[in-house]
Structures are given as structure tokens and as C-alpha cells.
Amino acid sequence: MARKDPHSHADSDQPRARHLRLLLRVDFAARRIEGEAALELAAPAEGVLDLDSKALEVLEVSTGSGASVPFQVGPDEKVLGSRLRLSLPAGTREVRLRYRTSPDAPALQWLSPEQTEGGRHPFLFSQCQPIHARSLVPLQDTARHRLTYEAEVEVPEPLGAVMSAGPAGEGPGSRPGTRVFRFRMPQPIPPYLLALAVGRLESRELGPRSRVFAEPETVEKAAHEFAETEAMIARAEDLFGPYDWDRYDMLVLPPSFPYGGMENPRMTFLTPTLLAGDRSLVDVVVHELAHSWTGNLVTNADMEHFWLNEGFTVWAERRLVEALHGEEATVLAWAIGERALEESMERFGAGSPLTRLRTELAGTDPDDAFSSVPYEKGARFVTLLERTAGRQRFDRFMRDYMARFRFTSITTEEFLAFLESELPGLASQVGASEWLYEPGLPSNAPVFRSPRLDGLVAMAQSFARGERPANSATAAWSPSETLVYLQGLPREIEREGCAWLDAALALTGRGNHEILVEWLTLAAGSDYEPAFARLREVLLRVGRMKYLRPLYAAMGRHPRTRALAREVFAEAAPRYHSLSRRVAASVIEKYDDAPAS
Ligand SMILES: [Zn+2]
């Protein structure tokens, strides 16, 4: 027996599913999906087959020819969920499971109409990464096992469905008042890339191979924001080679979506907080697009190798930003990333094993291990490799890497072996072992500087001495420049300073959530009451974890903001995604409630 992924019951000695056929009936009233899953095996099999499941009610299991398959649902393990053990009769080529999901399946968020922009229809979306696919469908939920899939999704009219797959037609459903949407995913994907969303959706064409889907209230704004998608795809192809997934479509979700974006193939999921109105936050789209190669094409074998997905993707994102917006914009992006990295390192503690790139996560919930480390430390490691090898050689290496491992899932060690075979000596030259296996940031980390960045940092540092940049200067700042300046400011500012910032930079009214949230974090940490109304509004509306964590943390500094945080959280918690709720609760639990002086 060989269980290689610490977060899955899948056993590499057992039969392997290579294709999945799904029939999903979406029941908003019960907040359940009635599912039928057919797992086609790679070869006829017999004996034990262990699947992952979480909070699933398994009703019936049979073979493709209708023979009953005995099954046993194991105890609900905290991180992994329940092992679903099947005993296959000889010659089984296909296993069929009839099941239903639970109303609190971690993969699914059910939104009431009030939680949508339109306010009239419910909404459902999935988030299967890292290990939540098992609460949507019983399967071998490890990135080591890729599979193709097809699906039929029955939803109440007038709602529509999208999946991480190509559309394959639609028609009337089996019950009155329902409609069926069909999908086909011909490329093999790891299970965490299964994705489904159901809601009142419209779409707009963006280019020859891209469309954006959103609620009707948001779709025009989204089409404007992401109009440059085809140019991004073309630049990414320059870097990595042809785009292998046919179409690149996007879905803008309601604001409770816990991430900035999720790289579901053929249908990137995005937070509406990207809709700044001025295309200033499309870096996230660049990032998700880059995952079409790094992550979706070449995939981490499991979450202990997550940096292979995210480090390479942030590196690619910055290369694409450089190609699209120039070097200056890229230096600022690295500076903003550095800030995120420092915060993660601080949160875990410098010596924490979670600050390694190659992690060991047996017994650890990968959602708890999530941080900027695999992203930003990973991207710095890849950049060090690039700088040491030289860009031309390294770009050639990247194309070879993509070609060699496309549609496979690999470990850090497999990456290292390939690196050694293609660019011998490079790994030891840069101290790869320290980067991968030791905590913290090695001293040879690449540095990203420019006179512009230095000027902004110096200006921010002089703030405490009462110096203020001239209006003529701040008026010309790009959103990234404003953000870098704000990030350089002291974390607690007296009332006059806050008032000056808000007036000079028009912060409270910003549509750019990166700037808005940085400002509200400062204001909360400064107990600056005029910003509380906007702070409350953002916390009640937005579920993006990247924003909730610093906002709730900053609110822990003062008795008045602590009270506000608890009050807002009590109201917001039922609307947050379960991941967001957990992050916010963990921050609030750490509040130091020593009586205020
Ligand atoms: Zn990513």
C-alpha cells in the first residue's frame, strides 16, 4: 500500500480513475447537490478502491454493468474527511456512485439572493483547492491523479451554470422549471480544478478565445476591466509556448469569494474587488492566466509542493507585467509582494517550517498553511535561477520544462532532477537546498529596486516627521505608487495625519480595493473614527481573505475597534465563505483584551 499524498486516502497501488462522468442536480432550497458520479478506471480492476469523501451522503454504489459494490464509509478525520472504501467485483471497469452533498460542504458556498449583486436569485460556487473536491464528488482527491470529465448540471430556471470545462450544449431539465447545462473537459486535470458556479449569469465577448461571465449588474463593468485579456494571452504564449486549453473564459463572482482569483481551467474565477474601473488590478488576471501553464499544465503533486504552482506563477506574472507595463511597474509589484511575504513570515515566525518552500504537511490542514510564502519566496527563488542562468537560457529551460511535464503532476525533487539535467550545477550555485528545505528567506534573495521605489519609500518614512508630499506629486501617482506609499507609512497615525491622507489621496471613496483596504487597515490601526463606516461596509460585503486578515488584525489594536470588529463579525460571519470565516475568527481570537488604559 502506498499513500503518497498526506492529504488523500488515494493509494497508488489501487486502480486509478481516469475519466469522470457527473450528473449534478442543484437544489437551492435544501442547499444540496444530488449527484451521480461514474468513475471510469484506467484498466479492469478488482478488490479495494479507496476514495476521498467529506460530508457526503453516499446512497448507492454499483459497477457500470449494474452489479452492487459493497462500500464502507470511514470515520470523519479532521483534515482528510472520510475514507470511502469500495470492494470491486472482478472485471470492474467503471464505478457508479449515487450521493448527495451536505449543506456545509466546504467546497460549496450557497448564497442567498441578498448576497448577490442582483438581489433576486440565489448563487452557488465551488472552491475545490486545496482538498475540497471530495465534498463535491467522491473521488481520489489528489493532484497526483489527473482525470478528464464530462458533466450535466440541472439548475432551476432562469439560472445558468458554468464549469471548468468547455460547454457542450443545454436543454430542458428532467423536472419542470429546470434546465440542464452540459460540459466536457477533454484535458486531464487534478481534482482541485473541478469547478462549478450557478447563478443568474450573462457574458460578454472579450476576444477571439475569451469571454467574461458575471451577474447582469456587473457584466459590463467586467468586460471593460478585462478588455486586454487577448493581449495578455499572446504575451504569455511568447513566454511559455502555445495556450493548450482552447478557451480562456472568466467568471466574476459575488463579493464573498474568498480568493482574488482561482485558476479553474477554461473558467478562471475572480473576485469582484478587481473591478476598480481603471484596469489597475488586472495583475490577478495575469496571475490566473499564467496558471494555465504553471499549475494547470505542470501541477504540484500535492500541497507539500505548492510552491511549484505558485512560485512559478508569481514569477511568470511579474514577467508578464514587465512585458505589458514595463520595468518600473514590475519593481513596484515586487515591492508590494515583499510586504506580503514579510507579513506571512512574521505571522508564522521566522523559524517556522511553514516558511520553507518544500513543506511537510501530514496532519496539517493545507488551508491553515496557506500564506504568501510559496508565492513570493517561490517567485524570488525562480528569479534567482533566472538571473544566475541568464534570461535567455532560463526562458529556454522554462519552455523545455513545460514541454517535458505538460499534463503531469510533479514533486520538488522531480523538478530539481530536471533542473540538474538541463542546467547542471545551477541548483548548487544558488543554494537551492537552503531555499527549498530551510525556513526563512536566504541572504542571496534577489533585490528589486528603482529610484522611483526608493523615492516613494523615503517619502513614506518622512511622514512621521511631519513631511507631506506635494499635491502635484500625489496627483500623478499610479495606483501601485499610492499603494507602495501607504504601505511604507507607520501603522499608527494621529488623527491629523489620517485626515490629511484621506483628503489628499481621496482614500475612503476609492474603488481600487488594494488601496482602499490598505487605507482602512491604517485607519483601523489608528482608531480613526471617520473611516469606520466604510470599514464596516467593506467587512460586511467582501469575503476576500487577503483583505479580512489585515483589517481584523488592525482592529485588534484599540478597545473601540476591537468592539467594532466583534460586532461586525457577528453580523458578517453567516455571509462569509467558511474559509473566510475561519480566518477572521482566528484573528479575533488572538485579540489581547487587557483592559484599556
Ligand atoms: Zn496562484
Side-chain angles (χ1 to χ4, degrees), residues 14-15 41 43-49 86-92:
Q14 294 177 4
L41 304 180
E46 173 179 14
V48 172
L49 173 61
L86 313 181
S87 306
L88 308 181
T92 303

Side-chain angles (χ1 to χ4, degrees), residues 212-396:
V212 64
F213 292 76
E215 286 189 72
E217 293 74 15
T218 324
V219 73
E220 289 301 340
K221 225 179 151 190
H224 168 79
E225 206 77 27
F226 306 131
E228 290 155 2
T229 302
E230 179 56 32
M232 293 179 194
I233 303 175
R235 288 306 170 100
E237 288 187 308
D238 293 342
L239 194 56
F240 287 132
Y243 180 74
D244 255 331
W245 301 89
D246 187 24
R247 292 194 58 85
Y248 183 78
D249 292 337
M250 291 171 277
L251 169 68
V252 177
L253 290 154
S256 66
F257 185 56
Y259 291 102
M262 176 63 213
E263 65 270 24
N264 299 315
R266 293 175 180 236
M267 188 60 73
T268 283
F269 282 17
L270 296 169
T271 165
T273 60
L274 302 181
L275 304 177
D278 59 2
R279 298 178 185 167
S280 55
L281 297 179
V282 294
D283 286 15
V284 173
V285 176
V286 173
H287 178 96
E288 305 312 331
L289 171 66
H291 270 307
S292 307
W293 288 265
T294 48
N296 296 3
L297 209 51
V298 181
T299 307
N300 57 211
D302 57 55
M303 288 305 290
E304 295 186 335
H305 309 277
F306 189 45
W307 80 274
L308 285 172
N309 278 16
E310 297 303 344
F312 277 98
T313 299
V314 172
W315 168 80
E317 171 198 328
R318 304 267 154 82
R319 283 289 301 272
L320 293 172
V321 167
E322 184 190 308
L324 292 160
H325 305 297
E327 244 174 84
E328 193 66 71
T330 315
V331 170
L332 293 176
W334 281 108
I336 292 163
E338 187 171 325
R339 180 61 193 281
L341 179 59
E342 284 165 4
E343 275 165 8
S344 292
M345 295 269 190
E346 220 167 275
R347 177 155 58 89
F348 290 140
S352 164
L354 290 178
T355 66
R356 296 178 193 161
L357 286 180
R358 162 59 156 108
T359 50
E360 285 171 23
L361 297 178
T364 301
D365 187 330
D367 281 323
D368 294 338
F370 186 83
S371 80
S372 292
V373 171
Y375 293 74
E376 295 292 342
K377 181 180 174 184
R380 280 158 179 75
F381 175 53
V382 179
T383 300
L384 180 63
L385 293 173
E386 179 201 317
R387 286 186 176 178
T388 310
R391 184 169 274 194
Q392 243 184 348
R393 273 177 81 210
F394 191 71
D395 284 1
R396 206 176 317 122

Side-chain angles (χ1 to χ4, degrees), residues 31 53-56 76-81 101-110 124-137 141 257-259 365 367 576-582:
R31 299 200 157 190
S53 74
K54 186 154 196 160
L56 289 180
D76 181 17
E77 298 169 52
K78 192 169 168 285
V79 178
L80 270 73
T101 63
S102 147
D104 39 44
L108 300 173
Q109 192 181 10
W110 300 86
L124 167 68
F125 67 83
S126 69
Q127 169 59 38
C128 287
Q129 196 184 35
I131 55 167
H132 303 309
R134 64 195 65 177
S135 69
L136 172 62
V137 48
D141 191 7
F257 185 56
Y259 291 102
D365 187 330
D367 281 323
Y576 286 159
H577 189 279
S578 57
L579 289 169
S580 315
R581 200 180 309 137
R582 219 166 76 189

Side-chain angles (χ1 to χ4, degrees), residues 456-515:
L456 287 164
V457 170
M459 250 185 277
Q461 282 166 351
S462 71
F463 188 91
R465 298 192 299 270
E467 288 175 38
R468 306 286 182 262
N471 274 346
S472 55
T474 57
W477 283 353
S478 69
S480 296
E481 289 172 317
T482 305
L483 184 58
V484 165
Y485 176 74
L486 290 176
Q487 289 188 336
L489 295 176
R491 293 296 91 188
E492 206 167 330
I493 294 173
E494 81 298 2
R495 197 182 163 86
E496 171 277 324
C498 285
W500 181 86
L501 282 170
D502 195 11
L505 300 170
L507 295 171
T508 301
R510 288 271 176 160
N512 178 315
H513 274 66
E514 293 292 315
I515 293 173

